[in-house]
Amino acid sequence: MRASGLTRLYLLLVLVLVLLAVAAAAAGASGEHDFRRDFEVVWGEGNARFRDGGREVELSLDTRTGARLQSKQRYLFGRFDIDIKLVPGESAGTITSFYICTGGARHDEVDFEFLGNTTGEPYLLHTNIFSDGKGEREQQFVLWFDPTESFHTYSILWNPHNIILYIDGVPIRVFRNNAARGVPFPAAQPVHVFASIWDAEDWATQGGRVKTDWAKAPFVAAYRRYNVSNACVWDEEHGRARCPKATAGRRRREAAWMAQKMDWWSWMTLSWVRMNYLVYDYCDDRRRFPDGSPPECVIPIGRA
């Protein structure tokens, strides 16, 4: 089959997966989470505006400050979903983010960071994964839609087997647990969930060449449908995680997400995303790693 035929096949597969994911999200959105109840505004309090009874929040960036939310609870493994609509129009110099992080010098962290751009130019999605204090695992993507026109769902699945990043149910990145091969994997430190908007004009847009146009401020991003119903809540008093269980008849068993890995459809879709929308992969950066790629890059992506 020619390359064009493969591309059409990938497009068809992705379309099916997106439609299924959107339908599942619509059916499963319970609306039980309240940003005012579940998060603290850790900076920029006046720039976090809660809407619809706390079910939606707008974070804004102006000449004074940005804003950041931090979940009140911590989690050890989980699936974290949130809908985001990014800053429309001129957004150069701004970063809108959604991430999980442990804090501390040897922190673990998984990032969605959206790098703003000049009007008419696409956002760049910057992802990174830190384990045991080591990051520098950047992958960057352009998107197959305009993230400023409507809300889209961004998800982090983190279990003992892998970390998978999704957009509208489409996997865009996987980081396997290769601790047995000497690659640290986040598995012991509980995380907070964060959402923020901030100014990073020194590097965010075209390497810092395009600065923030403050005449266009305030820059506003909206968040909704935060969902952590599939996550293990960290019990601060006893120092352990409490995980939701799935019920089958009278028996309770481990929830499916805790064992979830990439299936055949997921690998096909991930390949399509990498082929068409991946614009930077640290594993391929020979200038940064002249003596050889980091160890996780040498392990085939589909092999544990």
Side-chain angles (χ1 to χ4, degrees):
M1 186 182 294
R2 293 181 300 175
S4 59
L6 286 172
T7 299
R8 285 195 294 271
L9 175 59
Y10 280 132
L11 283 169
L12 178 60
L13 293 175
V14 170
L15 178 60
V16 170
L17 286 173
V18 169
L19 291 174
L20 290 173
V22 170
S30 63
E32 62 178 301
H33 292 96
D34 183 334
F35 282 101
R36 286 183 302 194
R37 182 195 66 205
D38 299 334
F39 284 84
E40 298 175 323
V41 184
V42 291
W43 50 264
E45 185 171 359
N47 285 26
R49 293 184 293 275
F50 298 96
R51 311 286 192 192
D52 191 21
R55 287 184 287 271
E56 183 175 325
V57 62
E58 292 180 348
L59 301 183
S60 64
L61 169 67
D62 56 30
T63 55
R64 180 179 58 90
T65 186
R68 182 170 71 175
L69 303 182
Q70 174 183 295
S71 65
K72 293 179 180 179
Q73 291 184 318
R74 293 194 295 168
Y75 306 89
L76 184 65
F77 302 125
R79 176 166 178 142
F80 310 93
D81 304 290
I82 201 165
D83 287 6
I84 309 175
K85 183 163 64 173
L86 298 180
V87 177
E90 185 72 22
S91 59
T94 70
I95 291 182
T96 304
S97 70
F98 164 54
Y99 61 103
I100 58 175
C101 184
T102 63
R106 301 181 67 173
H107 71 288
D108 302 327
E109 183 174 339
V110 182
D111 297 329
F112 275 101
E113 293 183 326
F114 299 91
L115 312 186
N117 215 327
T118 54
T119 302
E121 295 295 323
Y123 266 83
L124 193 65
L125 170 57
H126 179 93
T127 69
N128 202 353
I129 295 173
F130 291 75
S131 54
D132 197 29
K134 181 185 182 305
E136 297 186 330
R137 297 187 175 100
E138 301 91 343
Q139 288 184 358
Q140 295 182 340
F141 305 82
V142 294
L143 303 174
W144 54 92
F145 54 86
D146 184 344
T148 71
E149 289 186 344
S150 59
F151 285 95
H152 291 266
T153 304
Y154 304 91
S155 307
I156 300 169
L157 173 69
W158 170 41
N159 64 28
H161 307 288
N162 42 217
I163 295 167
I164 309 174
L165 305 186
Y166 296 91
I167 300 177
D168 292 331
V170 175
I172 66 164
R173 180 171 185 178
V174 60
F175 183 73
R176 304 294 299 270
N177 185 347
N178 285 301
R181 297 172 179 246
V183 181
F185 183 84
Q189 301 185 81
V191 301
H192 285 287
V193 182
F194 294 88
S196 66
I197 186 170
W198 50 290
D199 175 42
E201 66 174 8
D202 56 332
W203 71 274
T205 305
Q206 299 178 32
R209 290 188 293 275
V210 182
K211 305 300 182 182
T212 305
D213 182 358
W214 293 107
K216 301 294 194 303
F219 305 97
V220 181
Y223 296 75
R224 71 177 188 186
R225 288 185 177 175
Y226 167 66
N227 187 358
V228 290
S229 57
N230 292 317
C232 301
V233 178
W234 185 254
D235 186 331
E236 300 289 351
E237 180 180 355
H238 298 97
R240 63 189 181 194
R242 293 182 285 105
C243 299
K245 299 289 185 180
T247 302
R250 295 183 178 180
R251 300 179 61 185
R252 301 188 72 204
R253 55 184 174 78
E254 184 178 79
W257 65 264
M258 184 63 94
Q260 184 176 339
K261 299 179 182 179
M262 297 279 286
D263 57 17
W264 180 84
W265 283 85
S266 298
W267 285 118
M268 288 286 288
T269 309
L270 181 71
S271 297
W272 176 81
V273 171
R274 290 178 62 86
M275 182 185 301
N276 292 279
Y277 299 103
L278 178 68
V279 295
Y280 176 81
D281 186 351
Y282 74 106
C283 288
D284 298 329
D285 195 331
R286 297 294 176 260
R287 287 188 297 179
R288 286 178 61 188
F289 305 107
D291 298 325
S293 300
E296 66 270 17
C297 299
V298 180
I299 304 168
I301 192 170
R303 185 180 303 166

